[in-house]
Amino acid sequence: MMIVMPRLAGPAIPPGRLARLAQPVLDLTDMALRPWQSSDVSAVVAAYSDPDIQHWHARSMTEAESRAWIDSWPARWAEESGAGWAIADEAGLLGQISLRRLYLSDGIAEVSYWVVPAARGRRVATSALSALTAWAFARLDLHRLEVNHSTMNSASCRVAENAGYAMEGTKRGEALHPDGWHDMHLHARLSSDPPREGRSSSN
């Protein structure tokens, strides 16, 4: 029998906060963060065939896996275990950004993102991260957001810093990549940190 220990603090966010919200479209100047669509399947497969995305995210996707991944997001939203957006413009998919390892009871989530090769160099990731951060603090009332990336992924490091995520330290041997274990940089922002506009970035 599992014993549930009583909490002396919290929860930071009551259950149901995310599930009661409709997933928004976050409009930016020249792109938007929108819920995933079935028409995105082929674009996701193509994205996960990119060597950089495969390397830093340590996976590839078949068409069936892409469809299942896209189909999983509404359930994760309802279960309050995660939230994912496609980053897109009129021409198509630019990238993805998501709240993963989402723990409402602790007020904490980790943000993950990638950008397709054709969209790099346009500040896509920084703009998306800044927009999602503002929404997560204002509407979801999260307390802390984290970004974790390989210490060898300098582009992701710049994105996090340009979006106001302070680098807090290095986690040794924390993530298994195709070429072995990588140390990971931990960046974070608190809801009490001053608002910050994204600066120039290569991603």
Side-chain angles (χ1 to χ4, degrees):
M1 180 179 66
M2 183 175 69
I3 299 175
V4 178
M5 303 291 286
R7 293 178 62 105
L8 299 181
I13 300 171
R17 173 72 59 83
L18 179 65
R20 284 193 295 269
L21 295 174
Q23 184 172 5
V25 174
L26 304 180
D27 285 311
L28 305 178
T29 303
D30 53 356
M31 61 184 178
L33 278 58
R34 59 160 174 80
W36 288 100
Q37 304 169 355
S38 58
S39 58
D40 294 322
V41 168
S42 296
V44 170
V45 172
Y48 275 100
S49 69
D50 172 62
D52 285 338
I53 291 176
Q54 286 187 356
H55 184 71
W56 301 123
H57 293 266
R59 71 161 302 150
S60 62
M61 276 201 192
T62 65
E63 184 172 330
E65 290 167 341
S66 173
R67 185 174 295 106
W69 183 77
I70 288 171
D71 290 346
S72 72
W73 285 111
R76 292 192 64 183
W77 185 283
E79 296 165 357
E80 302 186 317
S81 62
W85 283 261
I87 310 169
D89 62 10
E90 293 181 353
L93 185 69
L94 303 177
Q96 76 85 27
I97 191 164
S98 60
L99 298 176
R100 57 193 299 268
R101 298 179 184 172
L102 175 60
Y103 302 106
L104 292 185
S105 62
D106 296 321
I108 295 174
E110 180 185 349
V111 185
S112 173
Y113 47 81
W114 49 251
V115 173
V116 300
R120 292 172 190 161
R122 294 168 46 186
R123 301 182 66 241
V124 169
T126 299
S127 297
L129 180 56
S130 297
L132 181 56
T133 299
W135 178 85
F137 286 153
R139 296 288 291 128
L140 195 52
D141 204 26
L142 286 175
H143 167 67
R144 177 181 168 92
L145 290 170
E146 297 181 350
V147 169
N148 292 277
H149 66 80
S150 169
T151 57
M152 291 186 282
N153 188 348
S154 58
S156 191
C157 198
R158 288 193 299 272
V159 168
E161 290 177 342
N162 290 343
Y165 281 68
M167 215 274 276
E168 295 187 340
T170 301
K171 297 184 286 184
R172 296 179 303 144
E174 203 256 348
L176 182 60
H177 285 64
D179 58 349
W181 290 99
H182 282 214
D183 293 349
M184 301 290 281
H185 278 163
L186 169 63
H187 298 256
R189 276 192 64 174
L190 302 181
S191 59
S192 56
D193 289 340
R196 182 171 179 180
E197 294 296 327
R199 302 180 309 190
S200 63
S201 170
S202 66
N203 232 344

